[in-house]
Amino acid sequence: MPTQFDNSTDHYVDPLRLRIIKKARRNEPQGTMISVSNIKRVVSVFILRPNENNPTIKWDVAVFRRCSTMPTFPNHWAGISGSIEDDDDSPLEAAAREVSEETNLYEYELTMKGDDNSNHPSRRLLLQSYMKAGLYLDINKSTTKGAFGGRVIRVYPFALTLEDSGCNNVIEMRGTEHDAMKFVSIDEFLRLAPCVPELQRAFHHATAGAYLKLPEDIRTWENDRVNGASYLARKAIELAVGAPHLSTYSQFEENNLCNSHPNTMAKSIAILRPSMVPIVNVMNEFDKRTLESLETSEIGTIQIDLLKALDLEVEECINLAVETIIKDYESWHSTASSNIFVIGTFSRSSTLVSILKRVLQSMQNAFTDTSIRVVCSQSTPGDEGELMANDIPGATCLSDKQFEEHIRE
């Protein structure tokens, strides 16, 4: 049975846009501007299952060999992949469609649940809920060997994790794209050849860097589930400064057969927290500027510039949020029968703390006839709400269930 993931962050949405980056495709992290007409958008799904035969190997990954008749990369190993079609609402929907077209996995899973209606639309929706999205990656034309007219290939990677190790005996290939399938260990996968360009790199993106060899301080940063995006972006800059040109894809250095090039530390940091757009944006910019710089001494200047730009955008975000909340209050106050105005939050960040503190200060001074209250959802399992309530004078923390009931009231 697949492990269910929350895909609420599959589409990247963030109020904190870094001015230093050019605008790119809507709701995606920003990087080098590429014309949409020069991009071929595809998905790549990596199916993982538990390895119960070897206690030192936690997961195996499924690989599929492309048929000799395929127009691109024939006889190469790949994940489940395919183009994002015009009628696909999102990369996630395209990924679920490709899995349903190229394997019987969704039929097998839902048969286990007792659903015998193979045409029911809920099948793909359920399959989507089992997929975890990684940060997309662009593969340039020098690596793609002229495929798709020499366009840049933008890969949206997904991991679909199975709980049943016996799935290998029931999963069947469908369609005409592949002529062989097998499960291999992660170690074997990272040395697999021949494979489609950047297959291992896409896997690292799909699994959010879980199999990268990274310094302990970066893993500690990755596991910080208390602080918000702006704080973590500042810390990411500090970590990247420590080793900006260090390659972390040691596996790729050992095996260059798949045209997989080593990444910088900044790129590796970005894929660890793909849903936090400020982190992705600032790491992309850091990487771009350090690679353009020929002088190591300029790294300090780049760090200062990026921190200043980040601070400026945070300040603008705070001002805009305060203005919006006060306007909402004024609209509410004109018709309200109550004198209690409640502000609720279910997350914690230093930016949000600054916003709420300024709101409380401004409104308590300007609107003396109203009681302003801040209520924080506990936000289990991390319990960030308790910490948030401690950050805001007079704030209270409710359980997630109580918070939801309070909102409905």
Side-chain angles (χ1 to χ4, degrees):
M1 181 182 299
T3 300
Q4 195 161 2
F5 292 100
D6 175 11
N7 275 294
S8 60
T9 57
D10 173 55
H11 296 291
Y12 304 101
V13 180
D14 176 48
L16 184 60
R17 299 292 181 183
L18 291 180
R19 179 183 300 170
I20 53 177
I21 315 292
K22 296 178 181 179
K23 284 188 176 180
R25 190 176 180 87
R26 182 186 178 189
N27 288 343
E28 291 180 354
Q30 303 164 6
T32 304
M33 180 65 76
I34 304 173
S35 171
V36 173
S37 62
N38 290 329
I39 296 176
K40 175 64 177 179
R41 300 171 71 229
V42 303
V43 296
S44 185
V45 182
F46 297 92
I47 302 173
L48 295 97
R49 68 162 191 188
N51 185 316
E52 297 180 351
N53 298 323
N54 189 336
T56 64
I57 301 175
K58 186 176 181 181
W59 299 102
D60 290 334
V61 58
V63 289
F64 300 80
R65 189 174 63 195
R66 295 169 65 84
C67 293
S68 59
T69 55
M70 290 296 290
T72 57
F73 312 112
N75 302 316
H76 284 58
W77 292 101
I80 294 294
S81 59
S83 301
I84 298 177
E85 307 294 348
D86 291 340
D87 56 353
D88 290 323
D89 289 338
S90 68
L92 176 62
E93 182 175 300
R97 175 180 53 76
E98 290 292 342
V99 171
S100 66
E101 291 175 353
E102 298 178 21
T103 76
N104 68 331
L105 181 61
Y106 82 121
E107 297 173 5
Y108 164 72
E109 166 59 22
L110 287 164
T111 299
M112 289 178 60
K113 292 179 178 295
D115 177 8
D116 58 0
N117 184 357
S118 60
N119 295 317
H120 197 281
S122 65
R123 283 176 171 260
R124 285 187 184 172
L125 294 176
L126 179 62
L127 191 59
Q128 290 179 31
S129 71
Y130 296 144
M131 292 185 181
K132 183 177 181 180
L135 180 66
Y136 76 79
L137 61 152
D138 288 333
I139 305 176
N140 60 42
K141 59 184 179 181
S142 64
T143 304
T144 61
K145 303 176 182 178
F148 304 113
R151 287 181 290 172
V152 170
I153 300 178
R154 176 160 294 177
V155 181
Y156 294 82
F158 294 85
L160 196 165
T161 305
L162 309 175
E163 295 177 356
D164 182 2
S165 61
C167 284
N168 188 37
N169 298 323
V170 295
I171 295 180
E172 300 174 358
M173 293 185 299
R174 296 286 174 85
T176 59
E177 293 190 13
H178 308 115
D179 61 12
M181 167 201 165
K182 61 181 178 180
F183 275 93
V184 297
S185 68
I186 301 298
D187 186 62
E188 291 175 298
F189 171 78
L190 293 175
R191 290 169 173 77
L192 186 67
C195 55
V196 298
E198 304 281 17
L199 181 67
Q200 287 93 341
R201 184 179 168 206
F203 171 79
H204 285 305
H205 280 234
T207 55
Y211 299 96
L212 287 176
K213 296 178 181 179
L214 296 173
E216 187 62 32
D217 55 351
I218 291 182
R219 288 300 182 190
T220 300
W221 170 89
E222 175 194 9
N223 294 322
D224 185 341
R225 293 298 187 268
V226 174
N227 292 294
S230 62
Y231 172 86
L232 292 174
R234 295 180 65 88
K235 295 296 294 184
I237 295 173
E238 295 178 14
L239 293 169
V241 166
H245 298 289
L246 178 63
S247 168
T248 57
Y249 287 147
S250 58
Q251 298 93 338
F252 293 155
E253 294 174 349
E254 299 170 6
N255 173 21
N256 291 318
L257 297 175
C258 299
N259 297 317
S260 296
H261 302 293
N263 262 8
T264 61
M265 185 66 75
K267 289 285 189 182
S268 299
I269 291 172
I271 70 173
L272 300 179
R273 302 298 289 269
S275 64
M276 289 190 164
V277 179
I279 295 171
V280 176
N281 287 348
V282 80
M283 288 295 95
N284 283 341
E285 182 69 7
F286 180 90
D287 192 62
K288 174 177 175 291
R289 293 183 59 177
T290 52
L291 291 177
E292 290 176 349
S293 174
L294 299 178
E295 299 293 334
T296 306
S297 59
E298 294 183 13
I299 298 297
T301 301
I302 294 172
Q303 178 185 14
I304 293 172
D305 289 346
L306 291 178
L307 289 173
K308 286 182 178 178
L310 187 60
D311 287 342
L312 178 61
E313 291 302 317
V314 168
E315 184 63 26
E316 291 184 358
C317 177
I318 292 172
N319 291 336
L320 178 61
V322 171
E323 179 182 343
T324 300
I325 293 174
I326 290 178
K327 285 183 178 179
D328 286 345
Y329 166 80
E330 291 173 341
S331 175
W332 167 86
H333 187 265
S334 63
T335 59
S337 58
S338 170
N339 66 341
I340 301 176
F341 184 73
V342 180
I343 303 173
T345 176
F346 50 87
S347 64
R348 178 179 186 257
S349 74
S350 56
T351 303
L352 189 54
V353 169
S354 298
I355 291 170
L356 293 178
K357 284 184 175 180
R358 291 194 193 180
V359 166
L360 289 174
Q361 183 178 8
S362 299
M363 295 180 66
Q364 287 171 351
N365 292 335
F367 307 106
T368 57
D369 61 334
T370 303
S371 174
I372 313 296
R373 298 180 184 177
V374 175
V375 178
C376 307
S377 178
Q378 188 173 359
S379 297
T380 54
D383 295 338
E384 294 94 337
E386 294 182 10
L387 298 172
M388 187 69 178
N390 292 332
D391 293 334
I392 306 297
T396 58
C397 179
L398 300 177
S399 69
D400 295 337
K401 183 177 180 180
Q402 290 175 321
F403 185 81
E404 291 179 6
E405 293 173 348
H406 196 68
I407 290 178
R408 293 191 183 100
E409 295 175 357

